[in-house]
Amino acid sequence: MAKSETGVAMRVCAAKVLDAVFSGRSLTEALTKPCAESRDQPFVQALCYGVLREYPGNRLLLRRMLKKPFKRADSDIEMLLLSALYQIDHMRVPSHAAVNESVQAVRKMGKAWASGMVNALLRRYLREKEALNDRLSSDPEAQFHLPQWLLQRLQQAWPDHWQGIADAYTQQAGMILRTNLMKIDRKGYFEQLLQADIAAHRHPFVEEAVVLDKALPVEQVPGFTQGLVSVQDAGAQLAAALLDPQKGERLLDACAAPGGKSCHLLEHAGGALSLTAVDVDENRLQRVRENLDRLDLDARCVQGDAAAPKGEWAQSGYHRILLDAPCSATGVIRRHPDIKVLRRPDDISAMVDLQQCCLEGLWPLLRGGGMLLYATCSVLPEENEQQVGAFLARHSDAKEKPIAAEWGLERKHGRQTLPGEEGMDGFYYACLEKVIE
């Protein structure tokens, strides 16, 4: 295939993927059915992630340039134009190629009637780029690339930090590995990276964490297939040390998929745990099994609902429970920028209700003297410290164990990392102990 034909095909593919996201599918799901050659998939992925990081700024820009909005049947043309705008501003793609191949792409999509409009709009942007962007500079959504509702919530929750959070959202998250201390220590793994000429450095807060200076395809990560390392954000790696399971204990990971924290907990205890990994989604539970197999770890995987525990897994008391609660995922937008498109304001109250149900459902499963670690990847207080505060007020048999740490920010209840802190995503943790009466 000629170079120009490849460029056209990649643009068509990116438009399809983005159109699926704006129709309600996650970016991860939309990318699992590749519409480009395997060698071109990294470009398509980078383009889609970039477009979503710039949302909603570029969409506002585009809609101000249009005389009238696209019909729903032609939303793929809008996605094609968003891709072209991102390429012109942020990718090593010559401007003329972005324009010409976008025009060819709209024809390949069977919408030749729009080729003139696409050509004229993109050429206008090249001529008037500075002026067009200046007109949007006072619009908060365009300035911070966030939907207004989320920007307002961040400003209210984090008056001293919201701008840093918004800036972090536009940055690409780095690649962080978790060394499997059952198979290799961090020093030994650094030696393997050195032999492979891969630059990396230590993480200051997590013993197992290795930060790669440059991201790699996972199949090129030394020792990944052999289970020496896993890919996991350092903020997520904090959970194992906080819960600190001891050998021989019975532990429940109540919302386990895709299994990173389950595996880390087993590694933390040298594999000597009776761990039950529960998830409501059987398909996602398969990811847990795959991760366990790759790391040569053993756990019982059960489909179940943390909000309404029932069945054998819900009958016995556990020494420790990890509730990595369903949440808005506003702490991981760097890795999942489609959240800015998919999440809605009304989702938050529904998440809060579900989290409360999970806490209430799981608390009876915890033994006296045991600990439940409540965790989210949210930065919104109503899902975090307010949720924990309300739980403590309802339960006289619960007390909070304060988290003394160098990382994150101390809250009224629990502790919060913010996106970008030492390369970490935004995670919230609170340790709840069950009083022996």
Side-chain angles (χ1 to χ4, degrees), residues 147-199:
Q148 184 177 10
W149 73 268
L150 179 54
L151 184 59
Q152 289 175 342
R153 283 178 182 258
L154 292 177
Q155 289 171 332
Q156 181 179 6
W158 301 100
D160 298 326
H161 301 281
W162 68 267
Q163 191 163 349
I165 297 172
D167 289 344
Y169 283 162
T170 64
Q171 305 302 312
Q172 183 175 352
M175 189 172 189
I176 301 178
L177 307 178
R178 184 189 78 240
T179 50
N180 181 356
L181 299 184
M182 291 177 63
K183 295 188 175 185
I184 192 170
D185 59 22
R186 190 165 63 172
K187 179 179 179 181
Y189 189 69
F190 267 109
E191 292 173 356
Q192 290 203 14
L193 292 176
L194 183 63
Q195 293 172 6
D197 197 26
I198 296 173

Side-chain angles (χ1 to χ4, degrees), residues 353-369:
D353 290 344
L354 179 57
Q355 292 154 5
Q356 180 178 327
C357 289
C358 290
L359 279 166
E360 295 296 338
L362 295 173
W363 190 247
L365 309 187
L366 185 66
R367 291 187 179 189

Side-chain angles (χ1 to χ4, degrees), residues 100-172:
N100 294 338
E101 292 178 6
S102 294
V103 171
Q104 295 177 53
V106 79
R107 291 172 180 158
K108 190 175 180 67
M109 289 158 56
K111 299 184 178 181
W113 57 267
S115 59
M117 179 271 293
V118 169
N119 181 62
L121 189 146
L122 292 177
R123 292 191 181 280
R124 178 190 172 195
Y125 182 68
L126 290 176
R127 293 192 309 270
E128 305 174 24
K129 178 166 62 172
E130 186 174 345
L132 289 167
N133 284 314
D134 281 347
R135 291 174 197 167
L136 283 176
S137 61
S138 61
D139 189 304
E141 286 191 293
Q143 183 180 359
F144 296 104
H145 302 289
L146 284 174
Q148 184 177 10
W149 73 268
L150 179 54
L151 184 59
Q152 289 175 342
R153 283 178 182 258
L154 292 177
Q155 289 171 332
Q156 181 179 6
W158 301 100
D160 298 326
H161 301 281
W162 68 267
Q163 191 163 349
I165 297 172
D167 289 344
Y169 283 162
T170 64
Q171 305 302 312
Q172 183 175 352

Side-chain angles (χ1 to χ4, degrees), residues 7-21:
V8 170
M10 289 191 294
R11 283 160 175 77
V12 171
C13 180
K16 290 180 179 178
V17 170
L18 289 167
D19 198 34
V21 171

Side-chain angles (χ1 to χ4, degrees), residues 323-335:
L323 171 53
D324 191 2
C327 69
S328 64
T330 47
V332 294
I333 287 178
R334 295 186 312 156
R335 299 185 190 278

Side-chain angles (χ1 to χ4, degrees), residues 146-147 149-151 153-154 157-158 165-166 168-169 325-345 347-348 351 355 376-384 416-420 424-428:
L146 284 174
W149 73 268
L150 179 54
L151 184 59
R153 283 178 182 258
L154 292 177
W158 301 100
I165 297 172
Y169 283 162
C327 69
S328 64
T330 47
V332 294
I333 287 178
R334 295 186 312 156
R335 299 185 190 278
H336 303 283
D338 51 326
I339 291 166
K340 293 192 285 185
V341 174
L342 300 174
R343 196 65 69 231
R344 297 287 185 270
D347 294 341
I348 308 305
M351 289 291 182
Q355 292 154 5
T376 76
C377 54
S378 169
V379 295
L380 301 181
E382 51 264 58
E383 298 183 88
N384 297 337
Q416 176 85 56
T417 66
L418 296 180
M424 295 186 291
D425 284 329
F427 283 90
Y428 172 81

Side-chain angles (χ1 to χ4, degrees), residues 76-92:
D76 52 350
I77 302 176
E78 183 178 14
M79 299 302 112
L80 180 70
L81 287 166
L82 288 174
S83 300
L85 292 175
Y86 181 78
Q87 290 171 58
I88 289 170
D89 286 340
H90 298 286
M91 299 185 79
R92 296 178 182 177

